[in-house]
Amino acid sequence: MTDTQGPAVLDRDGLNALVAELVAQGRTVIGPTVRDGAVVLAELESADDLPFGWGVELDAGRYRLVRRTDGAAFAHSAGPQSWKNFLHPARQRLWSADRTPSGGVDFTADEPAAPSYAFLGVRPCDLRAIAIQDRVLTGGRYEDTGYARRRTGAFLIAAECTEPGATCFCVSTGGGPAADPGYDLALTEVDGRFLVRVGSEAGGELLARLPHSAADEGTERAAHAAVDAARDRMGRALPPVDVRALLAGSADAQRWDDVAERCLTCGNCTMVCPTCFCVTTEEVTDLTGDHTERWQRWDSCFDLDFSYLHGGPVRASARSRYRQWLTHKLSTWHDQFDSSGCVGCGRCISWCPVGIDITEEVTALAAEAGTGPTASADPRTES
């Protein structure tokens, strides 16, 4: 269901009414706000909490907040968090067990009621990332029931991109700054106003309760032009080759030695990635031995123990662990989930402490394989 009642326009008062209405419905509204020197995702009390007038400067291993003069709310690129932090949280209890007086054990599954989420300001790359995690965590034989509880009924308000960052490369992953289907409402910010498109029945019902006006032709043209211009201003790009086949055939490439010399195997790239989903479980027991809990927490394929089997880890070197991550993300993910695991958000580039650039690495692998640009080519100039 798309554009069920035609595009509309909200002003800032309408945006405040949007948040107020969602709160009145009992929803937990999550959106971008400025905190601790970054644009982070947190609970919003009103639209005034949005990062009006803030932008960001990005590069490999660099993230800085900068003041804007136009007061825009969504003119910033992806920050260190994604919506995965709420739908697939970093740590959650699965069950607890207690020893009974008779010597038996009582197990209690931990199935708390999930918040009724409303996500405001979901970037198109993150909208695609949510769709990927939906397939990974609920689309197979073994559903992640916790994820399913949190995801069911979540209200998604996309914010289309008009200001791509220097580390953004969504276009070269098959996406773009325009929102794909999957949203309830989509916003495009134009000169302090917001063009609104409806993507679901729930979105249409909410819009009908807000002060808004029908979209005029000029606002629609300006919104589409801004998004189209953003498509041509990506800061990075993957090389124009079959990346899936390239990675599948690059297991012995010398480039892995180069990246291994720089990689700290810290796992930052997997923590900030909006699609990485790996977890481990751990048991915690109290001092009496009568109570224990099982917790699920995020894990990373960069962790030395991630591939531990009897006798030691399967991937003991930094080379093998970085190769595993990149090859899975861009190649073998297709075999498991029928898509790439990368949406081109650029977080792994910005938040790598040594500035390793995924687009640069793939470009170098393509050059070594003789299928892409030269090794000295700058991935920021590739189209």
Side-chain angles (χ1 to χ4, degrees):
M1 180 177 182
T2 58
D3 295 336
T4 54
Q5 56 197 63
V9 174
L10 294 178
D11 59 14
R12 184 159 175 174
D13 288 339
L15 197 62
N16 268 307
L18 168 64
V19 176
E21 180 64 30
L22 290 168
V23 172
Q25 292 178 2
R27 291 185 178 274
T28 300
V29 182
I30 306 295
T33 191
V34 172
R35 185 177 299 169
D36 299 327
V39 176
V40 301
L41 299 177
E43 186 171 353
L44 306 180
E45 295 183 359
S46 76
D48 291 335
D49 294 333
L50 292 168
F52 288 99
W54 286 102
V56 295
E57 288 181 354
L58 304 175
D59 208 337
R62 177 180 171 82
Y63 178 101
R64 292 292 184 274
L65 279 179
V66 293
R67 270 294 187 183
R68 298 176 59 90
T69 59
D70 58 7
F74 298 111
H76 56 85
S77 301
Q81 299 163 303
S82 69
W83 309 95
K84 164 177 98 169
N85 292 63
F86 302 92
L87 295 175
H88 183 50
R91 193 166 184 263
Q92 57 181 312
R93 189 171 61 184
L94 301 179
W95 52 256
S96 60
D98 292 280
R99 194 188 309 276
T100 66
S102 63
V105 179
D106 282 340
F107 287 89
T108 304
D110 204 70
E111 297 179 344
S116 178
Y117 280 126
F119 294 157
L120 172 59
V122 181
R123 296 299 186 182
C125 57
D126 281 341
L127 192 63
R128 287 186 286 274
I130 291 172
I132 289 173
Q133 287 221 313
D134 286 348
R135 291 196 297 274
V136 171
L137 298 175
T138 66
R141 180 177 177 184
Y142 301 104
E143 180 181 85
D144 184 320
T145 56
Y147 179 91
R149 285 197 307 273
R150 290 181 288 272
R151 178 69 177 91
T152 300
F155 192 91
L156 305 184
I157 305 170
E160 295 192 310
C161 289
T162 58
E163 295 280 348
T167 57
C168 294
F169 60 100
C170 64
V171 171
S172 63
T173 65
D180 291 335
Y183 57 82
D184 294 289
L185 293 174
L187 308 179
T188 311
E189 190 169 11
V190 182
D191 298 328
R193 300 189 302 160
F194 305 89
L195 180 73
V196 186
R197 300 198 314 277
V198 173
S200 72
E201 184 175 349
E205 292 173 354
L206 177 61
L207 180 61
R209 292 193 290 272
L210 304 178
H212 67 275
S213 59
D216 59 277
E217 186 176 340
T219 300
E220 287 194 69
R221 273 201 311 269
H224 295 321
V227 173
D228 286 342
R231 185 176 291 107
D232 298 328
R233 298 202 319 273
M234 291 290 113
R236 298 287 203 278
L238 291 172
V241 300
D242 184 342
V243 176
R244 179 184 181 184
L246 170 67
L247 270 295
S250 296
D252 297 320
Q254 293 182 358
R255 182 67 182 189
W256 301 122
D257 292 325
D258 179 272
V259 72
E261 291 180 356
R262 294 174 282 135
C263 180
L264 304 178
T265 66
C266 65
N268 262 21
C269 50
T270 60
M271 298 297 105
V272 299
C273 177
T275 65
C276 277
F277 59 88
C278 289
V279 296
T280 189
T281 56
E282 56 188 12
E283 272 71 49
V284 180
T285 305
D286 71 1
L287 293 177
T288 68
D290 292 331
H291 177 81
T292 188
E293 297 175 351
R294 171 169 284 189
W295 288 78
Q296 176 180 285
R297 62 171 176 82
W298 287 354
D299 204 354
S300 171
C301 53
F302 283 92
D303 190 330
L304 186 61
D305 289 336
F306 184 81
S307 65
Y308 186 89
L309 299 176
H310 177 68
V314 173
R315 290 183 283 273
S317 67
R319 170 193 169 107
S320 63
R321 299 204 290 282
Y322 188 89
R323 182 182 62 193
Q324 154 65 21
W325 174 71
L326 191 61
T327 302
H328 183 219
K329 184 66 59 178
L330 298 180
S331 182
T332 55
W333 201 292
H334 287 273
D335 301 324
Q336 289 180 284
F337 309 115
D338 297 322
S339 76
S340 171
C342 179
V343 295
C345 68
R347 287 183 176 93
C348 61
I349 303 173
S350 299
W351 295 95
C352 174
V354 294
I356 295 174
D357 182 339
I358 186 175
T359 63
E360 179 183 349
E361 299 312 313
V362 177
T363 298
L365 288 167
E368 183 175 338
T371 60
T374 62
S376 61
D378 187 339
R380 289 169 287 188
T381 64
E382 294 299 319
S383 59

